Structures are given as C-alpha cells and as structure tokens.
Amino acid sequence: MKIGIILASSQRDKAKIVENILKDMIDDEIINFGCFDDEELSYVEVSILIGLLINSGSVDFVITGCSSGQGMMLACNTMPNVSCRYISDVSDAYLFRHINDGNVVSLSFGFHYGWCGDMNVRYILEALFSDVNYPIEDLSRKQHDTTLLKHINTLSKVDMITLLKSLDNQLIQKILSKNDAIEYIINHSTNIELVEYLKIY
C-alpha cells in the first residue's frame, strides 16, 4: 500500500512527525507531500490535491489534517471517490479502517493537540493500521452497508476531470503549482485520462 501525507500549510510542521511515526510502524511506501517551506495551501486546496492523488491511483491512502481536522474532513468528502473521516481517538481509527473502509483520514493538529499530541497521533495510527479484526458476527452487515454507501457516493458525485473543469482557473493553477505532488501523480498514476488532462492544463 502507498500512503500519502499532506496537511494544510498551517500544520506543515506536523507532517514530518506523522511520517516518522509511520516509518517506525509499517513497511508500506510513505510519501510525504508536506506542505513545506513557503507553500500556502488552505484545507480546501489540499482536499483537491487529495482528490487528485486518490483518483489518479498514485496513492491508496492519505493521512491529512488541519487545525481542527473537521474542515479538512468535510472538504475531502466533497471529492469524487474519497471517503474521509475525522479521527479523534483510537476507537475511531480502528472502526474506520475495519468497517468503513475509507481512503483518507483527517486528524486535528491544533485543536486538542496539546501536550503529548504526537503520542495520541501514534496511538491513532497504530489502531488505523492494526491487523486486529473486528468481531466477525457484525462484520458482514457493516461491510454491506459500506459497499452500498460507496455505490451511492459514485452516483451522487461527478468524476475528477469534470470537477476540475468546473473550478476557477486561478484555484487550479495554485493547486498545480504543488510540483512534488503533481509530478508524483503524473509519474505514478493508473488513471491515464486524468494524467493527460493535467499535462495539457
């Protein structure tokens, strides 16, 4: 599995913390997209990048966040084929991974982060990538509902290219200026049509 990390620029210093924790825990490929240095991307702009990363097939899962985690979660859930949950504790992480089968989690890196915030992030990520299974007697029913929800999600949203075409050009240009993420998408995408669109934009 390929796991991307990209946070709102207000929380850029936390991206390295998440990367280090993940590299201590799992052997999967971890790609840290920042934000870094002078990059100023709002949670809305980052959510569109996350939509591109997921819809291109460049990554399988994204860990993101902002000051509260809530805004990023809401923004991500407007993207096609993205299922994001705000995760505040270990139980949330465990249920999301084993029942809801989403592909993005949003964490709070400001509000409630506080003392030992990095330890809380570690416990959440450990639960998120735990191999412990959910009680089997409830699993089938809950997974059926998850599959149904994903189907409804595909019916209620446009595809990624249609979304990009409807957005303001200035907004798209700012997102495309996040060179490390866009180059990674172009070089690792399984969605040829989306890559061709990005190349000619």
Side-chain angles (χ1 to χ4, degrees), residues 5-13 15 32-43 45-46 49 173-183:
I5 303 165
I6 183 166
L7 314 181
S9 16
S10 63
Q11 301 300 319
R12 60 168 53 92
D13 58 317
N32 187 351
F33 297 108
C35 295
F36 300 108
D37 305 325
D38 59 350
E39 294 172 340
E40 294 296 333
L41 296 172
S42 71
Y43 69 92
E45 292 159 349
V46 170
L49 276 169
Q173 290 299 332
K174 186 173 182 185
I175 291 162
L176 294 180
S177 70
K178 181 80 169 96
N179 293 326
D180 61 337
I182 299 302
E183 286 176 14

Side-chain angles (χ1 to χ4, degrees), residues 79-140:
M79 295 295 112
N81 302 308
V82 170
S83 175
C84 178
R85 180 166 172 173
Y86 166 67
I87 303 290
S88 62
D89 60 33
V90 169
S91 297
D92 280 346
Y94 180 79
L95 290 171
F96 184 68
R97 179 64 189 269
H98 293 279
I99 297 300
N100 304 121
D101 192 31
N103 48 21
V104 180
V105 295
S106 179
L107 306 179
S108 170
F109 290 104
F111 187 60
H112 289 317
Y113 188 77
W115 184 68
C116 291
D118 55 334
M119 290 181 65
N120 188 44
V121 170
R122 178 178 291 276
Y123 297 146
I124 285 171
L125 295 176
E126 284 174 352
L128 193 62
F129 296 104
S130 164
D131 290 330
V132 178
N133 290 321
Y134 192 82
I136 194 68
E137 62 271 13
D138 297 322
L139 193 59
S140 178

Side-chain angles (χ1 to χ4, degrees), residues 61-87:
F61 198 89
V62 175
I63 296 167
T64 188
C66 58
S67 296
S68 71
Q70 298 280 8
M72 187 69 81
M73 178 268 296
L74 291 169
C76 285
N77 280 324
T78 66
M79 295 295 112
N81 302 308
V82 170
S83 175
C84 178
R85 180 166 172 173
Y86 166 67
I87 303 290

